[in-house]
mmCIF file of all heavy atoms in Angstrom:
data_model
loop_
_atom_site.group_PDB
_atom_site.id
_atom_site.type_symbol
_atom_site.label_atom_id
_atom_site.label_comp_id
_atom_site.label_asym_id
_atom_site.label_seq_id
_atom_site.Cartn_x
_atom_site.Cartn_y
_atom_site.Cartn_z
ATOM 1 N N ILE Y 13 2.054 13.008 14.489
ATOM 2 C CA ILE Y 13 2.730 13.483 13.286
ATOM 3 C C ILE Y 13 2.499 12.490 12.149
ATOM 4 O O ILE Y 13 2.889 11.318 12.233
ATOM 5 C CB ILE Y 13 4.245 13.642 13.530
ATOM 6 C CG1 ILE Y 13 4.480 14.648 14.661
ATOM 7 C CG2 ILE Y 13 4.947 14.100 12.259
ATOM 8 C CD1 ILE Y 13 5.927 14.767 15.087
ATOM 9 N N GLU Y 14 1.860 12.946 11.085
ATOM 10 C CA GLU Y 14 1.649 12.103 9.907
ATOM 11 C C GLU Y 14 2.901 12.183 9.039
ATOM 12 O O GLU Y 14 3.229 13.232 8.489
ATOM 13 C CB GLU Y 14 0.417 12.544 9.128
ATOM 14 C CG GLU Y 14 0.035 11.565 8.037
ATOM 15 C CD GLU Y 14 -1.254 11.926 7.312
ATOM 16 O OE1 GLU Y 14 -1.654 13.115 7.354
ATOM 17 O OE2 GLU Y 14 -1.849 11.031 6.701
ATOM 18 N N VAL Y 15 3.586 11.052 8.908
ATOM 19 C CA VAL Y 15 4.873 11.006 8.201
ATOM 20 C C VAL Y 15 4.680 10.667 6.731
ATOM 21 O O VAL Y 15 5.372 11.200 5.866
ATOM 22 C CB VAL Y 15 5.812 9.982 8.881
ATOM 23 C CG1 VAL Y 15 7.132 9.873 8.131
ATOM 24 C CG2 VAL Y 15 6.053 10.380 10.330
ATOM 25 N N ILE Y 16 3.747 9.761 6.435
ATOM 26 C CA ILE Y 16 3.416 9.402 5.057
ATOM 27 C C ILE Y 16 1.938 9.718 4.843
ATOM 28 O O ILE Y 16 1.074 9.244 5.577
ATOM 29 C CB ILE Y 16 3.685 7.913 4.781
ATOM 30 C CG1 ILE Y 16 5.175 7.600 4.969
ATOM 31 C CG2 ILE Y 16 3.247 7.541 3.369
ATOM 32 C CD1 ILE Y 16 6.104 8.305 4.004
ATOM 33 N N LYS Y 17 1.657 10.509 3.807
ATOM 34 C CA LYS Y 17 0.335 11.104 3.653
ATOM 35 C C LYS Y 17 -0.348 10.659 2.365
ATOM 36 O O LYS Y 17 -0.610 11.460 1.472
ATOM 37 C CB LYS Y 17 0.455 12.637 3.681
ATOM 38 C CG LYS Y 17 1.172 13.178 4.915
ATOM 39 C CD LYS Y 17 1.430 14.678 4.818
ATOM 40 C CE LYS Y 17 2.180 15.186 6.041
ATOM 41 N NZ LYS Y 17 2.491 16.632 5.930
ATOM 42 N N GLY Y 18 -0.576 9.357 2.263
ATOM 43 C CA GLY Y 18 -1.312 8.858 1.118
ATOM 44 C C GLY Y 18 -0.461 8.668 -0.116
ATOM 45 O O GLY Y 18 -0.700 9.281 -1.156
ATOM 46 N N VAL Y 19 0.523 7.786 -0.028
ATOM 47 C CA VAL Y 19 1.460 7.545 -1.137
ATOM 48 C C VAL Y 19 1.069 6.262 -1.869
ATOM 49 O O VAL Y 19 0.776 5.232 -1.253
ATOM 50 C CB VAL Y 19 2.904 7.433 -0.613
ATOM 51 C CG1 VAL Y 19 3.838 6.904 -1.701
ATOM 52 C CG2 VAL Y 19 3.390 8.790 -0.119
ATOM 53 N N SER Y 20 1.093 6.323 -3.178
ATOM 54 C CA SER Y 20 0.914 5.151 -4.036
ATOM 55 C C SER Y 20 2.143 5.016 -4.936
ATOM 56 O O SER Y 20 2.632 6.011 -5.473
ATOM 57 C CB SER Y 20 -0.347 5.290 -4.898
ATOM 58 O OG SER Y 20 -1.517 5.325 -4.091
ATOM 59 N N LEU Y 21 2.623 3.782 -5.084
ATOM 60 C CA LEU Y 21 3.858 3.549 -5.839
ATOM 61 C C LEU Y 21 3.878 2.112 -6.332
ATOM 62 O O LEU Y 21 3.550 1.184 -5.586
ATOM 63 C CB LEU Y 21 5.080 3.806 -4.945
ATOM 64 C CG LEU Y 21 6.471 3.621 -5.570
ATOM 65 C CD1 LEU Y 21 6.707 4.630 -6.680
ATOM 66 C CD2 LEU Y 21 7.546 3.743 -4.497
ATOM 67 N N LYS Y 22 4.285 1.928 -7.589
ATOM 68 C CA LYS Y 22 4.424 0.592 -8.163
ATOM 69 C C LYS Y 22 5.893 0.354 -8.523
ATOM 70 O O LYS Y 22 6.582 1.258 -8.996
ATOM 71 C CB LYS Y 22 3.579 0.439 -9.426
ATOM 72 C CG LYS Y 22 2.081 0.487 -9.206
ATOM 73 C CD LYS Y 22 1.349 0.347 -10.535
ATOM 74 C CE LYS Y 22 -0.149 0.471 -10.359
ATOM 75 N NZ LYS Y 22 -0.868 0.346 -11.674
ATOM 76 N N VAL Y 23 6.340 -0.879 -8.296
ATOM 77 C CA VAL Y 23 7.691 -1.301 -8.682
ATOM 78 C C VAL Y 23 7.538 -2.518 -9.579
ATOM 79 O O VAL Y 23 6.987 -3.550 -9.160
ATOM 80 C CB VAL Y 23 8.547 -1.654 -7.458
ATOM 81 C CG1 VAL Y 23 9.945 -2.078 -7.894
ATOM 82 C CG2 VAL Y 23 8.616 -0.474 -6.485
ATOM 83 N N SER Y 24 8.014 -2.419 -10.810
ATOM 84 C CA SER Y 24 7.924 -3.529 -11.749
ATOM 85 C C SER Y 24 9.152 -4.425 -11.658
ATOM 86 O O SER Y 24 10.232 -3.982 -11.232
ATOM 87 C CB SER Y 24 7.794 -2.998 -13.191
ATOM 88 O OG SER Y 24 6.621 -2.214 -13.325
ATOM 89 N N LYS Y 25 9.012 -5.672 -12.083
ATOM 90 C CA LYS Y 25 10.125 -6.605 -12.061
ATOM 91 C C LYS Y 25 11.257 -6.083 -12.941
ATOM 92 O O LYS Y 25 11.047 -5.636 -14.062
ATOM 93 C CB LYS Y 25 9.664 -7.980 -12.576
ATOM 94 C CG LYS Y 25 10.744 -9.043 -12.511
ATOM 95 C CD LYS Y 25 10.220 -10.394 -12.982
ATOM 96 C CE LYS Y 25 11.316 -11.454 -12.922
ATOM 97 N NZ LYS Y 25 10.825 -12.775 -13.389
ATOM 98 N N GLY Y 26 12.463 -6.104 -12.398
ATOM 99 C CA GLY Y 26 13.640 -5.644 -13.119
ATOM 100 C C GLY Y 26 13.878 -4.144 -13.049
ATOM 101 O O GLY Y 26 14.890 -3.650 -13.563
ATOM 102 N N GLU Y 27 12.976 -3.415 -12.414
ATOM 103 C CA GLU Y 27 13.077 -1.955 -12.352
ATOM 104 C C GLU Y 27 13.993 -1.527 -11.207
ATOM 105 O O GLU Y 27 14.100 -2.193 -10.181
ATOM 106 C CB GLU Y 27 11.676 -1.372 -12.151
ATOM 107 C CG GLU Y 27 11.597 0.142 -12.327
ATOM 108 C CD GLU Y 27 10.159 0.638 -12.283
ATOM 109 O OE1 GLU Y 27 9.336 0.032 -11.574
ATOM 110 O OE2 GLU Y 27 9.869 1.643 -12.948
ATOM 111 N N HIS Y 28 14.637 -0.364 -11.409
ATOM 112 C CA HIS Y 28 15.491 0.224 -10.385
ATOM 113 C C HIS Y 28 14.885 1.568 -9.985
ATOM 114 O O HIS Y 28 14.964 2.539 -10.738
ATOM 115 C CB HIS Y 28 16.921 0.409 -10.904
ATOM 116 C CG HIS Y 28 17.462 -0.813 -11.577
ATOM 117 N ND1 HIS Y 28 18.065 -0.779 -12.814
ATOM 118 C CD2 HIS Y 28 17.444 -2.113 -11.198
ATOM 119 C CE1 HIS Y 28 18.428 -1.997 -13.165
ATOM 120 N NE2 HIS Y 28 18.054 -2.829 -12.202
ATOM 121 N N VAL Y 29 14.278 1.588 -8.821
ATOM 122 C CA VAL Y 29 13.598 2.782 -8.332
ATOM 123 C C VAL Y 29 14.495 3.470 -7.298
ATOM 124 O O VAL Y 29 14.984 2.823 -6.371
ATOM 125 C CB VAL Y 29 12.237 2.418 -7.686
ATOM 126 C CG1 VAL Y 29 11.570 3.660 -7.100
ATOM 127 C CG2 VAL Y 29 11.324 1.764 -8.715
ATOM 128 N N VAL Y 30 14.721 4.755 -7.480
ATOM 129 C CA VAL Y 30 15.546 5.524 -6.546
ATOM 130 C C VAL Y 30 14.652 6.572 -5.879
ATOM 131 O O VAL Y 30 14.000 7.368 -6.555
ATOM 132 C CB VAL Y 30 16.726 6.214 -7.262
ATOM 133 C CG1 VAL Y 30 17.494 7.095 -6.268
ATOM 134 C CG2 VAL Y 30 17.648 5.173 -7.872
ATOM 135 N N ILE Y 31 14.625 6.532 -4.547
ATOM 136 C CA ILE Y 31 13.858 7.493 -3.761
ATOM 137 C C ILE Y 31 14.835 8.478 -3.138
ATOM 138 O O ILE Y 31 15.801 8.083 -2.474
ATOM 139 C CB ILE Y 31 13.055 6.772 -2.664
ATOM 140 C CG1 ILE Y 31 12.073 5.766 -3.292
ATOM 141 C CG2 ILE Y 31 12.292 7.781 -1.793
ATOM 142 C CD1 ILE Y 31 11.330 4.910 -2.278
ATOM 143 N N PHE Y 32 14.594 9.757 -3.352
ATOM 144 C CA PHE Y 32 15.474 10.785 -2.793
ATOM 145 C C PHE Y 32 14.632 11.933 -2.255
ATOM 146 O O PHE Y 32 13.433 12.030 -2.510
ATOM 147 C CB PHE Y 32 16.479 11.267 -3.835
ATOM 148 C CG PHE Y 32 15.869 12.031 -4.995
ATOM 149 C CD1 PHE Y 32 15.973 13.404 -5.063
ATOM 150 C CD2 PHE Y 32 15.208 11.370 -6.033
ATOM 151 C CE1 PHE Y 32 15.416 14.120 -6.130
ATOM 152 C CE2 PHE Y 32 14.659 12.061 -7.099
ATOM 153 C CZ PHE Y 32 14.763 13.447 -7.145
ATOM 154 N N GLY Y 33 15.282 12.809 -1.498
ATOM 155 C CA GLY Y 33 14.566 13.936 -0.926
ATOM 156 C C GLY Y 33 15.188 14.376 0.383
ATOM 157 O O GLY Y 33 16.154 13.773 0.866
ATOM 158 N N PRO Y 34 14.668 15.431 0.993
ATOM 159 C CA PRO Y 34 15.256 15.979 2.219
ATOM 160 C C PRO Y 34 15.117 15.030 3.398
ATOM 161 O O PRO Y 34 14.203 14.189 3.442
ATOM 162 C CB PRO Y 34 14.465 17.265 2.440
ATOM 163 C CG PRO Y 34 13.156 17.028 1.750
ATOM 164 C CD PRO Y 34 13.490 16.193 0.554
ATOM 165 N N SER Y 35 16.018 15.155 4.357
ATOM 166 C CA SER Y 35 15.933 14.361 5.574
ATOM 167 C C SER Y 35 14.627 14.667 6.302
ATOM 168 O O SER Y 35 14.191 15.817 6.348
ATOM 169 C CB SER Y 35 17.127 14.677 6.497
ATOM 170 O OG SER Y 35 18.339 14.319 5.860
ATOM 171 N N GLY Y 36 14.031 13.629 6.860
ATOM 172 C CA GLY Y 36 12.776 13.813 7.570
ATOM 173 C C GLY Y 36 11.557 13.867 6.686
ATOM 174 O O GLY Y 36 10.444 14.103 7.172
ATOM 175 N N GLY Y 37 11.732 13.630 5.388
ATOM 176 C CA GLY Y 37 10.611 13.733 4.458
ATOM 177 C C GLY Y 37 9.760 12.477 4.353
ATOM 178 O O GLY Y 37 8.709 12.500 3.713
ATOM 179 N N GLY Y 38 10.238 11.363 4.954
ATOM 180 C CA GLY Y 38 9.459 10.134 4.941
ATOM 181 C C GLY Y 38 10.026 9.024 4.078
ATOM 182 O O GLY Y 38 9.387 7.970 3.932
ATOM 183 N N LYS Y 39 11.230 9.210 3.515
ATOM 184 C CA LYS Y 39 11.782 8.225 2.570
ATOM 185 C C LYS Y 39 11.958 6.854 3.208
ATOM 186 O O LYS Y 39 11.519 5.844 2.662
ATOM 187 C CB LYS Y 39 13.135 8.721 2.025
ATOM 188 C CG LYS Y 39 13.139 10.105 1.410
ATOM 189 C CD LYS Y 39 14.495 10.442 0.846
ATOM 190 C CE LYS Y 39 15.625 10.428 1.861
ATOM 191 N NZ LYS Y 39 15.440 11.428 2.940
#
């Protein structure tokens, strides 16, 4: 089962990133 399928993400200093989504989606 491929849970994460090629994700790219940047987090900058001082930034507040919120990840949301359905259960089982890979968060």
Side-chain angles (χ1 to χ4, degrees):
I13 301 174
E14 189 175 21
V15 178
I16 298 296
K17 305 173 182 178
V19 169
S20 296
L21 180 64
K22 294 179 183 179
V23 180
S24 299
K25 183 178 180 181
E27 191 173 31
H28 312 131
V29 177
V30 176
I31 300 174
F32 67 104
S35 298
K39 306 183 301 298

